Amino acid sequence: MSLQRIDKILSTQNIATRSETKTLAKKGLIKVNGITVRKSDEKFDPEKAVITINGIELEYKRHLYIMMNKPSGVLSASRDKKDKTVIDLLPVNMRREGLFPAGRLDKDTEGFILITDDGELAHRILSPKSHVYKLYEVICDKELTENDACLFSKGITMGEISFLPAEMKLTGKNSALVEICEGKFHQIKKMFQSIGAEVTYLKRLRIGELFLDKSLSLGEYRELENEEINMILSRKHGI
Ligand code: URA
């Protein structure tokens, strides 16, 4: 990785603002590879340097990847004047600059939302070319039939909009699991509208091959492991 100013490294890692870094440096509290850094504009490779602040080693992370179980009533946006967003649910020490939800869930949808500051990964997940499948649990106000599943499997056209073939597996009279590989606006709700049903409950359970961690209650989150990030980009699918 390229060299970066120590004040930039500490601010992007949410450790200290630039002015706080200046003060820390003046007080001799920052060490890099065992040597005290007195100037906040000194440059280092953050992936190689051992940086300590007041004796505590910095665990440098180029990007953050957070799985959240989004509750209903919260927006999948970075900020909003009126409503609470998924970023607002994170503790202050996790709220790094540049974090955003990679993909949208409606305000009333629950489940797996990925929050990251890795724009490249988000682009790969969201690009229709990537064919990252997402699995949803759906409850609706109509009795579902195998014929509905068959219609979904052929792809749906509603006026100007068309949706690629999707898999639906009935799980109860009014409930199903549905897997789609696109992320069009209100996609699941619109697909159900096309079969005369209104969605009354929607939850995202899986992105790629990675399931929402069942131990996360609504509003809870955790960082992803490296292998989990790779699972998100998997093209494997099927319910
Ligand atoms: N489809 C929808 O209609 N809403 C969501 O939140 C996600 C998929």
Side-chain angles (χ1 to χ4, degrees), residues 12-72:
T12 54
Q13 297 299 296
N14 215 2
I15 300 291
T17 61
R18 291 192 176 212
S19 66
E20 284 165 351
T21 301
K22 212 173 193 171
T23 311
L24 288 166
K26 273 192 187 149
K27 288 185 178 166
L29 294 174
I30 303 175
K31 282 190 181 169
V32 177
N33 302 327
I35 297 166
T36 305
V37 174
R38 300 257 172 210
K39 286 189 171 167
S40 59
D41 61 355
E42 277 196 58
K43 290 183 174 177
F44 304 95
D45 179 341
E47 283 181 337
K48 292 193 183 132
V50 178
I51 302 170
T52 59
I53 319 294
N54 207 4
I56 298 167
E57 189 170 328
L58 168 74
E59 194 197 332
Y60 179 80
K61 287 177 191 160
R62 188 169 187 175
H63 293 298
L64 269 187
Y65 304 92
I66 300 163
M67 169 196 280
M68 179 181 281
N69 186 3
K70 177 189 149 339
S72 172

Side-chain angles (χ1 to χ4, degrees), residues 190-229:
K190 283 183 183 154
M191 288 170 73
F192 274 73
Q193 261 172 28
S194 78
I195 55 165
E198 192 185 325
V199 170
T200 53
Y201 176 79
L202 186 57
K203 177 174 188 167
R204 183 155 65 192
L205 301 177
R206 195 183 72 209
I207 305 177
E209 271 193 282
L210 185 64
F211 276 94
L212 175 67
D213 184 333
K214 284 203 177 105
S215 71
L216 293 178
S217 304
L218 287 170
E220 289 188 336
Y221 47 82
R222 70 162 172 83
E223 280 187 55
L224 294 183
E225 309 286 339
N226 284 340
E227 59 269 26
E228 291 181 317
I229 298 163

Side-chain angles (χ1 to χ4, degrees), residues 98-113:
L99 275 186
F100 64 98
R104 282 191 159 264
L105 290 179
D106 297 335
K107 187 174 172 184
D108 58 356
T109 302
E110 292 179 357
F112 187 175
I113 188 112

Side-chain angles (χ1 to χ4, degrees), residues 136-234:
Y136 291 88
E137 177 188 347
V138 189
I139 302 178
C140 69
D141 65 353
K142 176 192 133 157
E143 199 163 316
L144 296 167
T145 64
E146 286 302 337
N147 186 47
D148 295 321
C150 182
L151 291 171
F152 272 31
S153 73
K154 290 182 179 146
I156 281 172
T157 301
M158 290 175 81
E160 306 268 280
I161 324 166
S162 61
F163 300 113
L164 289 172
E167 188 179 345
M168 179 200 281
K169 186 177 172 193
L170 307 184
T171 52
K173 245 163 85 182
N174 299 48
S175 60
L177 292 173
V178 178
E179 189 183 52
I180 57 175
C181 69
E182 304 166 283
K184 290 187 177 160
F185 191 54
H186 296 326
Q187 178 155 350
I188 297 278
K189 288 175 185 164
K190 283 183 183 154
M191 288 170 73
F192 274 73
Q193 261 172 28
S194 78
I195 55 165
E198 192 185 325
V199 170
T200 53
Y201 176 79
L202 186 57
K203 177 174 188 167
R204 183 155 65 192
L205 301 177
R206 195 183 72 209
I207 305 177
E209 271 193 282
L210 185 64
F211 276 94
L212 175 67
D213 184 333
K214 284 203 177 105
S215 71
L216 293 178
S217 304
L218 287 170
E220 289 188 336
Y221 47 82
R222 70 162 172 83
E223 280 187 55
L224 294 183
E225 309 286 339
N226 284 340
E227 59 269 26
E228 291 181 317
I229 298 163
N230 294 332
M231 286 168 79
I232 283 189
L233 289 171
S234 161

